[in-house]
């Protein structure tokens, strides 16, 4: 057929898996091949320099710039042995992506030639143009200076011929213009607060770290089909498209056999990820067709986020090699599951996991309860902020739909932990409590071993669920930088733990024994944070009403949700924990509102173009064919033929289709005009916040109305004329 869509689909069907050459070594042998690991530091650095670096990494000691030249020399030697010719400061601006500027290892030698050089000064600091990245007004166009500064706790790595140095990014006046700088402050705050509380139970605790295990969901689409969909190309999601007759309703894709082309992509991706030190472990089919998941082993949070940002870039690169495109948009297809990035978060000391239960003693169990309850306190006090931390124009499509948690932050604890907290709240203080570990379930099948049942179930509708020895923050979106959620969560928990210790110390100072003081404050906090605890169905209408009664934030408008960053309680929390100040928070909100507006603006422009230049012409063409058909029948057949019931039915059906096409195309034309008019009105608004609200309230709804009409036309217009690949083709071609 001449239709370009059919040619593209046929080409996609014909593709075979790309042959992947697997390493002959075991994964453990090529893991972190392109990372300047501790073992490589030991080899390439002087012993005293190596020991100082380890002290910086492990203990948070200040980096002595006097050793920078020695470190840079060792890094350069290792990198050049790997064929590296350039270096870059790799940072995470407020764009949800990463940024890098490559410089060569060359300088003038003073004799008319060149020499290879990489000094400590170049390692430690660079000057990206701060006015060219989102800054929320902190930097004007004529105020361009900004600084990237080396983060030695995240190891440098090699991509192609470039040495990548993880850095923070700050303005000339010192404000953070990235995610890493406030993240590191938040991690330090929670570490100090948690260590102080942990020492109630074990005075030997030296430090607390936060661990993060992210689960990256994504879609794969054949690149030819992707290129034939301007909406996917320009917005990352389909702005139109009727449901496929079969999508995920049979539950046959989840954990199913991985298609050959996808398996080849996954193998290639995993090898390259492991070589970059990303400890990828799990891969599987997700619920929706053409949806998949990749997850690593848990890591320290700062490193885990760097690895996730690196992986998302790597996924896109490897996918194109396999003639795929990765879709990280949270809701690229209507009517089926969207993609999230579940953040499994936990606290651990140098002596053990703080959220692990059961303990061997009642004291260990009290420690477990203390950290669970104070985490809930942080989530309760700042539930609106946590929602704002994961909210975006893209994630708003996913929340509350098809297994994604709703846009109300609550925490699922499971029956056993819930009953335990209730018991502590009401029982006599001397009634020591115990926590059961995994229970045995015996199956009446001799060949099957007994199962060990966890002390908590799973709740797919809970945004923040306790899952055994960690909390799973399920509301984070698939294309988001995890740092946004982790900054808010860790700072909130740091504040809760700081307040907890203040109150316990006050009771101890008044003469109460330590254990009794801890139990009293825990009991008080169990009562206070009760509203955040919900083990039921987060999708129900009753829960929205109940959450409102509990005082939880139930706002769904994305631009208004961002207001939580500027609440007095939020500003007080961030400033008291030395994470961000009022100016930085206000600037970030300006970026959030502006980003929201631009995303909806682009989608509206793309939808208008597709409507007027693709859909309406094709629908009109099919309408003309129907008109010609009716007229032709009248010209060929006698009037006697048209007096028959069969002929009348045929003619009436065609006339009905002609009328419906006319009605829907006319409606689309009018709606597109209204859409353009609404954009023009919104664009004149000066306030970024008010402009974003206008786009949410007046522009986005019109896009849904247009989509409805187009999706109806897709069912009417001849399949061979429809110009864009359909859902049944996008979602089921391997």
């Amino acid at each position: 057929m001449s239709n370009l869509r059919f040619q593209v689909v046929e080409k996609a069907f014909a593709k075979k898996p790309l042959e992947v050459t697997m390493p002959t070594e075991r994964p453990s042998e090529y893991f972190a091949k392109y990372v300047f690991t501790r073992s490589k530091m030991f080899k390439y650095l002087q012993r005293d320099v190596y020991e100082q670096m380890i002290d910086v990494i492990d203990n948070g000691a200040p980096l002595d710039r006097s050793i920078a030249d020695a470190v840079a020399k060792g890094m350069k030697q290792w990198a050049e042995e790997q064929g590296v010719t350039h270096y870059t400061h790799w940072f995470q601006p407020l764009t949800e992506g990463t940024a890098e500027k490559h410089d060569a290892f060359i300088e003038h030698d003073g004799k008319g030639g060149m020499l290879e050089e990489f000094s400590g000064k170049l390692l430690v600091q660079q000057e990206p143009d701060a006015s060219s990245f989102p800054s929320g007004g902190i930097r004007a166009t004529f105020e361009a200076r900004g600084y990237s500064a080396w983060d030695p706790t995240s190891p440098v790595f090699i991509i192609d011929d470039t040495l990548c140095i993880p850095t923070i990014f700050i303005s000339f006046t010192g404000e953070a213009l990235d995610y890493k700088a406030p993240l590191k402050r938040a991690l330090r705050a929670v570490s100090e607060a948690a260590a102080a509380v942990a020492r109630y139970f074990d005075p030997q605790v030296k430090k607390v770290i936060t661990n993060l295990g992210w689960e990256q969901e994504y879609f794969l689409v054949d690149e030819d089909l992707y290129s034939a969909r301007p909406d996917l190309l320009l917005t990352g999601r389909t702005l139109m498209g009727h449901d496929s007759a079969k999508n995920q309703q049979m539950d046959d894709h989840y954990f199913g056999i991985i298609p050959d082309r996808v398996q080849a992509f996954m193998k290639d991706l995993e090898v390259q990820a492991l070589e970059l030190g990303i400890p990828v472990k799990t891969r599987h089919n997700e619920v929706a067709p053409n949806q998949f998941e990749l997850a690593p082993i848990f890591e320290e949070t700062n490193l885990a986020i760097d690895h996730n940002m690196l992986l998302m870039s790597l996924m896109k690169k490897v996918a194109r090699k396999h003639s795929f495109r990765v879709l990280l948009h949270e809701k690229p297809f209507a009517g089926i599951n969207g993609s999230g990035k579940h953040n499994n978060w936990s606290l651990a000391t140098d002596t053990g996991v703080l959220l692990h239960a059961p303990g061997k003693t009642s004291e260990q169990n009290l420690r477990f309860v203390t950290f669970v309850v104070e985490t809930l306190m942080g989530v309760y006090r700042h539930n609106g902020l946590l929602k704002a931390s994961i909210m975006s124009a893209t994630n708003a499509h996913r929340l509350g739909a098809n297994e994604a948690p709703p846009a109300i932050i609550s925490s699922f604890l499971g029956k056993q932990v819930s009953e335990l907290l209730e018991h502590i709240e009401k029982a006599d203080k001397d009634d020591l409590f115990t926590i059961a570990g995994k229970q045995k379930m015996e199956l009446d099948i001799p060949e099957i071993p007994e199962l060990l049942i966890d002390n908590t179930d799973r709740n797919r509708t809970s945004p923040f669920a306790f899952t055994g020895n960690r909390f799973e923050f399920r509301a984070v979106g698939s294309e988001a930088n995890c740092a946004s959620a982790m900054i808010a969560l860790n700072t909130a928990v740091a504040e809760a733990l700081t307040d907890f210790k203040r109150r316990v110390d006050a009771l101890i100072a008044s003469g109460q024994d330590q254990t009794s003081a801890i139990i009293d404050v825990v009991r008080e906090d169990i009562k206070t944070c009760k509203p955040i605890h919900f083990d039921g169905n987060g999708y129900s209408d009753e829960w929205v009403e109940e959450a409102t009664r509990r005082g939880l934030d139930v706002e769904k408008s994305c631009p208004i949700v961002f207001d939580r960053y500027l609440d007095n309680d939020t500003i007080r929390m961030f400033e008291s924990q030395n994470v961000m100040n009022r100016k930085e928070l206000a600037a970030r909100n300006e970026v959030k509102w502006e980003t929201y507006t631009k995303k909806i603006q682009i989608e509206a422009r793309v939808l208008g173009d597709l409507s007027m230049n693709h859909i309406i012409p094709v629908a009109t063409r099919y309408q003309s064919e129907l008109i010609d058909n009716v007229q032709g029948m009248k010209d060929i057949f006698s009037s006697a033929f048209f007096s028959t019931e069969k002929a009348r039915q045929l003619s009436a059906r065609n006339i009905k289709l002609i009328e419906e096409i006319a009605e829907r195309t006319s409606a689309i034309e009018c709606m597109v005009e209204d859409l353009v008019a609404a954009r023009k009105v919104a664009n004149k608004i000066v306030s970024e916040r008010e402009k974003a609200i206008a786009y949410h309230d007046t522009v986005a709804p019109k896009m849904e109305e247009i989509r409805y009409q187009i999706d109806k036309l897709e069912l009417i217009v001849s399949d061979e004329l429809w110009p864009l690949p359909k859902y049944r083709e996008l979602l089921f071609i391997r």
Side-chain angles (χ1 to χ4, degrees), residues 42 48 63 66 78 82 123 128 167 179 189 225 242 268 272 290-291 301 306 330 420 442 500 582 597 602 618 668 707:
F42 187 79
D48 62 326
L63 176 67
S66 65
W78 166 70
Q82 306 299 317
L123 166 64
T167 63
Y179 284 105
L225 296 171
H242 199 280
D268 202 353
Q272 294 190 46
N290 266 14
Q291 187 187 33
T301 299
D306 281 359
E330 282 80 3
L420 171 63
E442 295 183 2
F500 173 82
R582 182 185 295 268
T597 295
I602 291 169
V618 167
I668 291 171
R707 175 177 189 146

Side-chain angles (χ1 to χ4, degrees), residues 51-78:
E51 290 175 351
Q52 288 185 62
M53 280 296 299
I54 296 303
D55 191 29
V56 170
I57 295 169
D58 287 348
N59 304 317
L63 176 67
D64 186 347
R65 289 186 65 138
S66 65
I67 70 169
D69 282 333
V71 175
K73 180 180 178 181
M75 280 185 186
K76 175 174 169 289
Q77 181 183 350
W78 166 70

Side-chain angles (χ1 to χ4, degrees), residues 15-32:
K15 289 177 182 173
K16 303 296 182 183
L18 186 68
E19 191 68 32
V20 178
T21 302
M22 299 295 291
T24 55
E25 313 101 308
R26 296 191 300 271
S28 59
E29 295 174 312
Y30 62 81
F31 179 72

